[in-house]
């Protein structure tokens, strides 16, 4: 795997990738410097040398002084996001709490909301439980997880929900995953994976991103079948 980049190296690499998506040949050193506000061509050349040494680009011979490089897309050189995720085994109590989250999901279905439910627990006590309310509230942030986190924070009179476990019937999206990190939730347990928008093991794993200042333990697949059946039935009935 290529070595990590400095801020300047990342800026140059991002420009190269974007440029090569629209052009057949890479830009010259002078062009890179002019575009990024780097006055010294030697500085640009040094950055390109470092990118090559670190394995992010490949320098090719050129007859002129114009730099000819082959940019490597970081997305292709890093392991898939799902492979970066680490999952813990379920505990004996997980199915009990997930069943409660499923009850919330079924309540969502009765009011024509997408059937997703969430329960936030600390030391065996429920701090908050909720279900999707995006349609009811005309609020795109009205996901079950977001509502549960808001209610729990209000009850705890604080923004940090340390020592808590969040049970949710569907893998959280990017928005909810970010909120989970900000709330300092200790553990996330979800039932069904979401291959289209899930950001806790499917498309990515925000809650375990090493660049963030908090990481969450994740368990998946608890009561996956009933949670998935509920969602499939809901959407099938509306087609």
């Amino acid at each position: 795997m290529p070595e990590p980049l400095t801020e300047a190296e990342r800026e140059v690499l991002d420009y190269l990738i974007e440029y090569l998506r629209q052009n057949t040949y890479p830009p010259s050193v002078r062009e890179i410097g002019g575009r990024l506000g780097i006055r010294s061509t030697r500085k640009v050349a040094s950055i390109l040398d470092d990118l090559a040494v670190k394995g992010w680009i490949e320098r090719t011979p050129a007859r002129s002084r114009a730099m000819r490089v082959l940019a490597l897309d970081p997305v292709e050189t890093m392991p898939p996001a799902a492979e970066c995720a680490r999952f813990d085994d379920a505990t004996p109590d997980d199915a009990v709490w997930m069943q409660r989250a499923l009850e919330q999901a079924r309540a969502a279905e009765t009011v024509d909301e997408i059937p997703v439910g969430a329960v936030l627990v600390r030391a065996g006590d429920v701090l908050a439980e909720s279900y999707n309310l995006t349609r009811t509230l005309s609020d795109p942030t009205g996901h079950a997880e977001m509502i549960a986190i808001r209610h729990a924070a209000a009850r705890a009179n604080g923004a940090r929900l340390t020592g808590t476990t969040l049970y949710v019937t569907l893998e959280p999206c990017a928005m909810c995953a970010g909120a989970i990190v900000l709330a300092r939730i200790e553990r996330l347990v979800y039932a069904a994976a979401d291959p289209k928008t899930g950001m806790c093991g499917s498309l990515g794993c925000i809650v375990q991103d090493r660049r963030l200042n908090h990481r969450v333990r994740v368990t998946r697949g608890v009561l996956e079948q009933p949670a998935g059946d509920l969602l499939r039935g809901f959407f099938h009935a509306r087609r």
Side-chain angles (χ1 to χ4, degrees):
M1 181 185 300
E3 296 181 34
L5 302 176
T6 65
E7 184 176 348
E9 290 166 351
R10 166 63 63 183
E11 188 176 17
V12 170
L13 181 62
D14 287 346
Y15 174 67
L16 287 173
I17 293 170
E18 185 62 30
Y19 187 95
L20 288 173
R21 285 174 179 163
Q22 304 176 35
N23 300 275
T24 304
Y25 298 101
S28 67
V29 172
R30 188 177 300 278
E31 188 173 358
I32 295 171
R35 178 67 176 179
L36 299 179
I38 304 174
R39 296 183 178 180
S40 171
T41 55
R42 289 186 179 181
K43 176 65 175 177
V44 176
S46 176
I47 292 173
L48 291 169
D49 286 340
D50 291 338
L51 286 172
V53 169
K54 290 183 176 182
W56 287 98
I57 67 172
E58 182 180 57
R59 310 271 302 269
T60 58
R63 295 181 178 178
S64 66
R65 292 185 179 182
M67 184 65 57
R68 295 291 182 262
V69 298
L70 174 63
L72 301 176
D73 193 329
V75 173
E76 298 176 354
T77 56
M78 297 188 70
E83 293 183 9
C84 296
R86 296 292 179 267
F87 301 104
D88 296 339
D89 293 334
T91 68
D93 293 335
D94 285 347
V96 175
W97 293 116
M98 189 61 74
Q99 186 61 52
R100 186 155 176 168
L102 275 169
E103 293 172 4
Q104 289 291 313
R106 294 187 182 101
E109 186 177 31
T110 64
V111 294
D112 202 34
E113 290 280 357
I114 296 175
V116 177
V119 177
L120 193 57
V121 178
R122 175 188 279 158
D125 293 328
V126 174
L127 289 181
E129 53 189 340
S130 59
Y131 53 80
N132 267 5
L133 287 173
T134 55
R135 299 179 181 179
T136 302
L137 301 177
S138 298
D139 181 3
T141 71
H143 290 193
E145 306 96 302
M146 299 294 290
I147 295 172
I149 290 171
R150 289 171 189 155
H151 289 174
R155 180 178 177 184
N157 195 29
R160 296 193 175 187
L161 302 173
T162 55
T164 60
T165 298
L166 177 64
Y167 294 88
V168 59
T169 58
L170 182 65
E171 180 184 351
C173 67
M175 172 184 67
C176 296
I180 289 168
V181 171
L182 292 174
R184 303 296 196 275
I185 289 172
E186 180 178 330
R187 185 168 176 252
L188 166 68
V189 182
Y190 64 84
D194 186 349
K196 292 185 178 180
T197 64
M199 289 299 291
C200 297
S202 292
L203 298 181
C205 197
I206 291 174
V207 295
Q208 292 182 346
D209 193 313
R210 289 175 294 178
R211 295 168 296 182
L212 302 179
N213 59 1
H214 177 72
R215 284 169 289 283
V216 181
R217 293 164 49 208
V218 180
T219 297
R220 62 177 176 176
V222 177
L223 300 186
E224 178 180 9
Q225 187 67 41
D229 288 346
L230 185 62
L231 284 161
R232 283 187 288 271
F234 176 83
F235 288 113
H236 180 74
R238 285 155 181 77
R239 286 173 183 164

